[in-house]
Amino acid sequence: MSLRKNAVLEMPSGVNHCAKVNVLEEEIVREIKSLWTGPDTDVRTALVKEMVGSVVRLRDLDTDVIDVKILHRALKELRYAFRVFRQYREVKKVSIFGSARIPGDDPNYKLASQFGKLLSQRGFMVITGGGPGIMLAGNEGAGRENSFGVNIMLPFEQAPNAMVADDKKLVHLKYFFTRKLLLVKESHAVALFPGGFGTLDEAFEVLTLIQTGKTHPIPIVCIESPGGDYWKRMMEFLEQQLLSRGFIHRSDLALFKVVYSAEEAVEEIQQFFRVYHSLRIVRDTMVIRIHQHLSQAEMTQLNHEFSDLLTDGQFQQVEALPEERDEPHLSHLSRLVLHFNWKELGRLRHCIDWLNARAVAI
């Protein structure tokens, strides 16, 4: 649908409010009729129809007003945010998390600024929560033109920072769940600096989504200024309290890397995409898309070293599958297909690292 956002404001000044509302309602009805009577030309049209149906069913008297408010606000915020990010779809982005309370003279603030600058110099954009502290530092380093702000509305400390305030790439959100969805959905990598509850919440959210296969693998770097022990203590906790009790696998610790310089962090992110491009699930098959064709010897080694990733069969190298016709811009990439053991997401990261070490950098 293509409803005019400012339809009410565009009416002649002599028309009263009720008339303006009636005209807008008529336009909405026309758009819905057009949607409903038109052909289901694509998946998106069919899904929009289902969404409209779901909204209509909210008129059920048993639906609480607060529930309707939550759905309404979340849908409006996400629709607007998707539009903001859409025009930058082809640019890789890195989400930066860290404390809002770190002052400008803190070594980690300076490190975050340097990190943002290096990312922008190498063609990345950055996404932050749009607030102070580490978020401001990351936006400062990357510059306004290379920065997004996904700002959460709080009663304290979270007004948009000066680098993203009033920028077209700033999005205001009421709910943490929509904010976290965007910070993960739109990111090709995540950088974690020392922080409080919010930072750790975001860190474990991303790790959980990757560990459970709810989002595709991305590089996660935990960054700290030299001499700090924030991530060292965190690693001790993970090993002594989670790993030792069998709550996580040893391979799950491969989902992130601890670094102590901006250069090492950026190199880790770039290395991740050196050969590996992306993956897609087609029916019961995982499709790993890579920039370079593997030799027969490399395929033999791959099947030997990562047989634990297979539920049956072997890794096979193929061309684009018919089901990938909706992504013609990726048809030139080589594919590795396999029946994947979903209990081994940490080992999948090992496999990606192995692939990236195989061939000459592109």
Side-chain angles (χ1 to χ4, degrees):
M1 288 187 287
S2 57
L3 298 177
R4 292 173 297 164
K5 182 179 179 182
N6 298 318
V8 174
L9 300 178
E10 293 170 358
M11 297 301 297
S13 58
V15 179
N16 63 38
H17 176 71
C18 289
K20 294 177 183 178
V21 171
N22 288 337
V23 169
L24 180 58
E25 288 179 349
E26 290 174 2
E27 182 177 356
I28 293 173
V29 170
R30 284 196 302 271
E31 290 284 355
I32 293 176
K33 284 183 176 179
S34 175
L35 172 70
W36 228 260
T37 58
D40 289 346
T41 55
D42 54 31
V43 174
R44 182 174 59 181
T45 300
L47 289 173
V48 171
K49 280 188 177 183
E50 288 189 27
M51 289 172 62
V52 173
S54 296
V55 170
V56 170
R57 293 186 186 95
L58 289 174
R59 294 188 65 190
D60 186 330
L61 294 180
D62 290 334
T63 305
D64 292 338
V65 173
I66 186 63
D67 296 335
V68 176
K69 285 184 175 180
I70 291 172
L71 287 169
H72 175 246
R73 184 62 181 254
L75 183 61
K76 282 184 63 177
E77 290 179 346
L78 289 174
R79 183 183 65 84
Y80 177 76
F82 292 160
R83 186 175 63 185
V84 169
F85 280 100
R86 187 179 302 128
Q87 60 186 304
Y88 302 96
R89 186 176 296 161
E90 302 305 318
V91 183
K92 283 188 169 60
K93 307 168 198 69
V94 179
S95 283
I96 299 176
F97 300 120
S99 175
R101 305 181 185 186
I102 286 181
D105 59 352
D106 188 285
N108 285 304
Y109 185 103
K110 297 175 182 178
L111 182 61
S113 180
Q114 183 187 8
F115 176 64
K117 183 177 181 179
L118 278 177
L119 285 173
S120 66
Q121 290 174 347
R122 301 190 188 184
F124 291 88
M125 299 181 78
V126 304
I127 309 173
T128 77
I134 290 297
M135 295 173 281
L136 173 58
N139 290 139
E140 281 181 345
R144 186 179 178 92
E145 67 279 6
N146 294 310
S147 291
F148 291 89
V150 184
N151 188 250
I152 188 74
M153 291 180 284
L154 297 175
F156 64 96
E157 91 175 359
Q158 198 65 26
N161 66 56
M163 291 302 300
V164 296
D166 301 319
D167 189 85
K168 63 180 181 179
K169 301 188 299 304
L170 172 66
V171 179
H172 294 280
L173 302 168
K174 182 175 183 178
Y175 302 117
F176 272 107
F177 77 89
T178 52
R179 182 181 188 237
K180 288 197 285 188
L181 185 152
L182 289 170
L183 286 166
V184 175
K185 175 185 177 294
E186 301 295 340
S187 296
H188 298 82
V190 166
L192 301 162
F193 286 80
F197 289 156
T199 298
L200 294 178
D201 174 51
E202 289 153 340
F204 285 112
E205 174 83 12
V206 175
L207 287 170
T208 299
L209 289 172
I210 295 176
Q211 184 207 40
T212 57
K214 299 301 289 184
T215 193
H216 292 173
I218 58 173
I220 302 173
V221 287
C222 301
I223 315 175
E224 186 175 10
S225 60
D229 66 353
Y230 184 93
W231 295 116
K232 177 183 177 182
R233 299 301 184 195
M234 180 58 64
M235 285 296 298
E236 290 174 354
F237 171 79
L238 295 178
E239 292 182 353
Q240 295 172 11
Q241 300 299 325
L242 303 187
L243 183 61
S244 67
R245 298 169 188 258
F247 296 158
I248 61 174
H249 295 305
R250 170 65 64 179
S251 61
D252 291 332
L253 298 178
L255 297 177
F256 61 93
K257 183 176 181 179
V258 178
V259 299
Y260 294 92
S261 73
E263 292 82 2
E264 189 178 2
V266 174
E267 175 60 26
E268 170 70 7
I269 292 169
Q270 289 189 299
Q271 173 69 19
F272 186 87
F273 298 103
R274 193 147 289 166
V275 174
Y276 172 82
H277 181 278
S278 57
L279 65 78
R280 178 170 176 170
I281 305 303
V282 177
R283 298 187 302 276
D284 61 346
T285 301
M286 176 179 285
V287 182
I288 301 176
R289 299 181 280 212
I290 55 177
H291 289 290
Q292 297 180 12
H293 194 81
L294 297 185
S295 68
Q296 185 57 53
E298 288 171 329
M299 287 298 299
T300 299
Q301 186 179 0
L302 174 66
N303 275 295
H304 175 71
E305 293 198 19
F306 295 99
S307 60
D308 55 327
L309 296 186
L310 305 167
T311 56
D312 61 73
Q314 292 187 320
F315 286 86
Q316 297 182 24
Q317 192 162 211
V318 301
E319 302 298 323
L321 302 181
E323 291 84 354
E324 298 179 274
R325 285 192 298 265
D326 58 333
E327 297 179 287
H329 58 294
L330 302 180
S331 62
H332 65 287
L333 296 171
S334 292
R335 267 77 171 163
L336 300 171
V337 297
L338 66 150
H339 295 293
F340 181 63
N341 177 4
W342 285 97
K343 295 180 180 180
E344 295 291 349
L345 271 301
R347 282 286 289 156
L348 178 61
R349 174 57 200 264
H350 284 153
C351 182
I352 291 172
D353 290 342
W354 182 90
L355 289 169
N356 286 324
R358 292 309 93 198
V360 178
I362 60 172

